[in-house]
Amino acid sequence: QVDAFYASIILFAGRVWDAITDPMVGFFISKSSWTRFGRLMPWIIFSTPFAIVSYFLIWFVPDISTGQVTWYLVFYCAFQTLVTCFHVPYSALTMFISREQSERDSATAYRMTVEVLGTVLGTAIQGQIVGKVDTPCIESPFFFGLTNSSVAMEELNMTHDTQSLTDTRNAYMIAAGVIVGLYVLCAVILLLGVREKREASELQSDEPVSFFQGLKLVMNHGPYIKLIAGFLFTSLAFMLLEGNFALFCTYTLGFRNEFQNILLAIMLSATLTIPFWQWFLTRFGKKTAVYVGISSAIPFLIAVVVLDSNLVVTYVVAVAAGISVAAAFLLPWSMLPDVVDDFKLQHPGSHGHEAIFFSFYVFFTKFTAGVSLGISTLSLDFAGYQTRGCSQPGQVNFTLKMLVSAVPVGLILLSLLLFKLYPIDEEKRRKNKKALQDLREESNSSSESDNTELASIV
């Protein structure tokens, strides 16, 4: 029952808060000391209990007449910070379980497969539990003529059935409880199943580097800037598609009872095709895989808007979109370790910035989710979207077509242009791998020489 404008304010404020906390958490992680659990694992262990409490409270409706916006803003920001304390070290583990590029690429493929599978589970749990609640739509043609959507919202809220609203609140709480249980289970599996290799860990700097010095070094690295820029627009395109596809299916295409299954088709298609993209990038290179994988969604996104409403066509588009979603999930994350290797070669005397690289990647993942929700909410509110309406005004249907087709296609084309400027191709990767091996061998031989000299002195 929070006004759409305030919901957008909460989302944008949360992303601004993320812009501050994500790189700071990455910096503090880079300065962490080694423990018997490793350097990264303590962050995951201690953030989990607080994260699940704050997540649960996001879905709780407090019995207060004023201050709801403050409630959700506080716990939304708290949850985002705690997820950062989990997600940054979790993502950075890729760099600290192996030094081999092929093993890190394989680990990234497994990680992203399970991450997409987690999105499928979340979509299924939330959608099925909340979808069981009987919330009939409201036929109110009078409101569709109003130009002030806030007036329409106020009038519609007066007609809400109290019992239905209570059932919906309870359903969201049950879904939150199930997802919290999964959060804890996965954290336990991670803790028991993954071990950091101390010899592979280069988190802590030999010389102290301030936060702003480290940030400047990272953000001045050209390949990283080009990669995160392409990643930003790609993520935003698919977040807009995923976030608005349910409303698009319900109102524009008329498949009110099918949207949950269509959304699941997208995510299942993404989960099943990640191994294919892992093979493709190994065979043809990562930049080629980016061009082919992400651009393959464009004709289908255009077709779903241009063609007449058809359930079979919609499912075909959903599966095709899922194939591109898999590429968008996997490939930018698979390219990030290559950027870190390139940075190490250009700054051989500077260590301990890996977590900062990953923290900005995590930030942009959450940033695009928040921006897409904010854009969607404000656009639909401006177009006159009617909550629980059986149908929507023509402006809303046009807006939904823009949000799931025209805007994502434009963002995908822009991201492909940025990926074209990305300088690390397969030849560059091979040269970097050889140079890093030579650098490590030189460092090891120098260390052995120093030890021999010390022994002779003794």
Side-chain angles (χ1 to χ4, degrees):
Q1 301 293 288
V2 174
D3 185 82
F5 173 76
Y6 291 113
S8 300
I9 292 296
I10 291 169
L11 290 169
F12 279 118
R15 299 311 162 181
V16 171
W17 178 249
D18 262 351
I20 300 171
T21 58
D22 280 16
M24 288 187 68
V25 168
F27 175 76
F28 288 129
I29 290 173
S30 71
K31 297 302 177 185
S32 300
S33 301
W34 183 270
T35 70
R36 65 190 184 95
F37 297 106
R39 284 193 179 118
L40 302 173
M41 283 298 181
W43 287 82
I44 294 172
I45 295 169
F46 292 114
S47 67
T48 295
F50 300 102
I52 63 175
V53 171
S54 59
Y55 178 79
F56 195 76
L57 291 175
I58 287 175
W59 298 103
F60 179 73
V61 180
D63 188 18
I64 51 178
S65 56
T66 59
Q68 278 195 337
V69 172
T70 303
W71 172 283
Y72 291 118
L73 179 60
V74 168
F75 286 109
Y76 183 68
C77 290
F79 177 68
Q80 293 300 330
T81 303
L82 292 162
V83 163
T84 297
C85 294
F86 185 103
H87 203 182
V88 170
Y90 164 70
S91 304
L93 272 172
T94 307
M95 296 296 296
F96 304 116
I97 56 177
S98 176
R99 285 179 170 176
E100 292 296 323
Q101 286 184 355
S102 58
E103 291 182 355
R104 292 191 316 221
D105 288 345
S106 178
T108 300
Y110 278 107
R111 179 170 70 84
M112 297 315 299
T113 301
V114 178
E115 212 164 294
V116 177
L117 180 62
T119 309
V120 173
L121 281 174
T123 303
I125 291 168
Q126 190 93 349
Q128 297 300 324
I129 293 176
V130 176
K132 295 293 184 183
V133 180
D134 182 23
T135 52
C137 63
I138 299 172
E139 287 283 7
S140 188
F142 168 73
F143 294 129
F144 295 157
L146 294 176
T147 57
N148 189 337
S149 62
S150 63
V151 174
M153 179 74 75
E154 183 179 352
E155 295 292 336
L156 281 170
N157 285 341
M158 293 173 62
T159 66
H160 278 185
D161 178 68
T162 305
Q163 184 58 44
S164 175
L165 190 60
T166 302
D167 292 342
T168 304
R169 288 175 176 174
N170 292 336
Y172 275 111
M173 294 296 291
I174 293 169
V178 176
I179 292 174
V180 159
L182 281 174
Y183 193 124
V184 174
L185 175 63
C186 293
V188 170
I189 292 173
L190 181 66
L191 175 63
L192 298 179
V194 179
R195 288 288 178 270
E196 296 173 59
K197 293 183 178 179
R198 189 161 191 171
E199 65 274 11
S201 178
E202 298 174 355
L203 268 175
Q204 207 164 22
S205 301
D206 296 331
E207 297 180 5
V209 178
S210 71
F211 171 76
F212 291 105
Q213 286 176 321
L215 193 61
K216 184 179 179 181
L217 276 173
V218 168
M219 298 309 292
N220 282 339
H221 191 57
Y224 184 62
I225 297 301
K226 294 180 176 68
L227 183 61
I228 61 174
F231 179 57
L232 171 65
F233 289 111
T234 302
S235 299
L236 186 56
F238 286 102
M239 289 289 183
L240 281 171
L241 171 64
E242 183 182 339
N244 293 284
F245 205 67
L247 292 176
F248 178 74
C249 291
T250 300
Y251 294 112
T252 306
L253 300 182
F255 303 136
R256 176 177 292 275
N257 298 321
E258 291 288 334
F259 75 85
Q260 294 175 9
N261 297 327
I262 294 171
L263 194 58
L264 280 175
I266 293 175
M267 303 314 299
L268 284 173
S269 171
T271 305
L272 295 174
T273 51
I274 281 182
F276 164 77
W277 289 119
Q278 175 64 19
W279 168 83
F280 193 95
L281 69 85
T282 304
R283 179 68 177 80
F284 299 102
K286 294 180 182 180
K287 287 188 70 172
T288 303
V290 165
Y291 300 145
V292 175
I294 296 176
S295 63
S296 63
I298 292 177
F300 295 98
L301 293 179
I302 296 173
V304 77
V305 172
V306 173
L307 300 178
D308 293 333
S309 176
N310 185 294
L311 187 59
V312 174
V313 171
T314 304
Y315 271 106
V316 170
V317 170
V319 172
I323 295 172
S324 291
V325 167
F329 263 93
L330 171 66
L331 293 169
W333 282 105
S334 181
M335 296 159 82
L336 180 57
D338 302 332
V339 172
V340 177
D341 286 345
D342 188 71
F343 178 84
K344 288 179 180 178
L345 285 175
Q346 293 189 24
H347 304 86
S350 181
H351 303 292
H353 305 303
E354 293 88 351
I356 298 179
F357 278 102
F358 279 86
S359 66
F360 270 96
Y361 241 48
V362 171
F363 161 68
F364 279 115
T365 303
K366 295 189 291 183
F367 176 77
T368 52
V371 168
S372 66
L373 284 171
I375 291 173
S376 303
T377 305
L378 288 176
S379 301
L380 292 172
D381 187 52
F382 181 77
Y385 175 77
Q386 306 298 331
T387 303
R388 294 179 63 197
C390 293
S391 59
Q392 298 291 339
Q395 299 95 315
V396 171
N397 290 325
F398 175 78
T399 302
L400 286 170
K401 288 182 179 180
M402 293 295 102
L403 291 174
V404 303
S405 181
V407 177
V409 167
L411 291 169
I412 287 172
L413 292 174
L414 182 57
S415 69
L416 291 176
L417 176 62
L418 291 168
F419 281 124
K420 179 69 175 176
L421 302 174
Y422 176 71
I424 303 178
D425 54 16
E426 291 307 299
E427 183 180 356
K428 179 74 170 175
R429 280 185 68 206
R430 287 191 290 270
K431 288 181 178 178
N432 285 352
K433 180 181 179 180
K434 179 67 168 59
L436 277 174
Q437 287 176 343
D438 293 343
L439 197 63
R440 286 172 184 144
E441 289 173 2
E442 182 183 341
S443 176
N444 290 337
S445 62
S446 175
S447 176
E448 291 173 2
S449 175
D450 290 343
N451 289 338
T452 303
E453 183 179 349
L454 178 61
S456 64
I457 292 173
V458 172

